[in-house]
Amino acid sequence: MRKSGEAEITNNPGRSRYEARLDGQLAGFAEYELGDGLITFTHTLVRPVFEGRGVGAALVRAALDDVRAAGTRKVTTSCPFFRGWLERHPEYHDLCR
């Protein structure tokens, strides 16, 4: 588990997603698919009641930090939110395929 600001971010491999919780409630998630040497982020969702609190950014950052720490995969994305965040953060471009 990682704390990012207020959000607690965990990887839930059984559901193929990173989950963000605020005050114990599921605030959002970032879904992924694993391939040979690759992780593809497919969908990011933040529940409306938690929007505007940095949950989406916390999810992306924690997921990418996790990928970097493991050192075994490159990142691709079909998720517009994830892609847009990556475009604004060149410090993570080394992870991209």
Side-chain angles (χ1 to χ4, degrees):
M1 174 176 49
R2 291 179 178 263
K3 272 206 169 202
S4 181
E6 294 180 26
E8 292 181 1
I9 312 294
T10 56
N11 183 8
N12 183 342
R15 297 194 73 178
S16 299
R17 69 188 195 180
Y18 284 84
E19 298 175 343
R21 295 188 184 279
L22 289 170
D23 301 323
Q25 295 181 45
L26 182 64
F29 56 84
E31 295 177 332
Y32 61 82
E33 295 174 358
L34 297 177
D36 190 28
L38 197 62
I39 184 168
T40 302
F41 289 94
T42 58
H43 181 65
T44 304
L45 178 124
V46 175
R47 292 178 50 210
V49 69
F50 295 105
E51 287 180 354
R53 295 175 63 182
V55 173
L59 276 165
V60 174
R61 187 177 299 277
L64 292 174
D65 287 346
D66 209 34
V67 171
R68 178 173 277 143
T72 58
R73 299 186 191 279
K74 288 290 188 180
V75 172
T76 64
T77 182
S78 59
C79 170
F81 179 84
F82 219 98
R83 187 179 313 112
W85 192 94
L86 270 168
E87 288 171 0
R88 293 186 308 277
H89 293 86
E91 66 272 24
Y92 287 96
H93 288 181
D94 63 300
L95 295 174
C96 297
R97 178 175 147 212

